[in-house]
């Protein structure tokens, strides 16, 4: 069966990879699949001249996942969305 279990949407803008969306079925999390998707996006970015990667996540989402993948937290925008915070992370490729 060819079931879609996840995906990544990203864009190379200037010298920066921007990971816009990364998702996996809950049943597929914790198996290294998300990390493989990030690595593939980073390889694509390097092949297209990117030197940095950037991602935004919400405080209740994936900040620890990206930190484990080598991303560094650089900024927080509190109360966005209300009651949470936007977390901004970056990584040199």
């Amino acid at each position: 069966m060819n079931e879609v279990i996840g995906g990544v949407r990203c864009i190379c803008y200037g010298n920066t990879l921007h990971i816009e969306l990364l998702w996996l079925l809950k049943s597929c999390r914790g198996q290294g699949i998300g990390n493989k998707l990030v690595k593939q996006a980073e390889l694509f970015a390097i092949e297209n001249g990117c030197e940095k990667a950037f991602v935004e996540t919400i405080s209740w989402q994936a900040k620890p996942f990206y930190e484990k993948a080598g991303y560094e937290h650089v900024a927080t925008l509190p109360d966005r969305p209300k009651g949470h915070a936007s977390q901004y992370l970056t990584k040199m490729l």
Side-chain angles (χ1 to χ4, degrees), residues 2-91:
N2 293 325
E3 179 183 1
V4 176
I5 61 168
V8 61
R9 183 179 73 200
C10 54
I11 186 171
C12 291
Y13 182 74
N15 68 337
T16 304
L17 167 71
H18 181 191
I19 299 174
E20 297 176 337
L21 176 69
L22 175 70
W23 68 272
L24 282 174
L25 291 177
K26 276 191 177 185
S27 61
C28 298
R29 295 176 188 168
Q31 300 175 32
I33 298 167
N35 191 47
K36 288 179 184 177
L37 288 171
V38 169
K39 293 285 184 206
Q40 285 298 111
E42 291 173 350
L43 287 174
F44 172 80
I46 290 167
E47 290 169 1
N48 286 279
C50 291
E51 301 165 348
K52 301 176 184 182
F54 170 80
V55 66
E56 172 189 354
T57 189
I58 306 301
S59 54
W60 49 268
Q61 288 181 318
K63 183 177 176 250
F65 166 81
Y66 286 107
E67 289 174 327
K68 188 175 177 183
Y71 285 72
E72 178 184 342
H73 178 255
V74 292
T76 298
L77 186 57
D79 215 28
R80 181 181 181 266
K82 192 159 187 73
H84 299 283
S86 289
Q87 307 283 337
Y88 300 90
L89 299 98
T90 190
K91 177 181 181 180

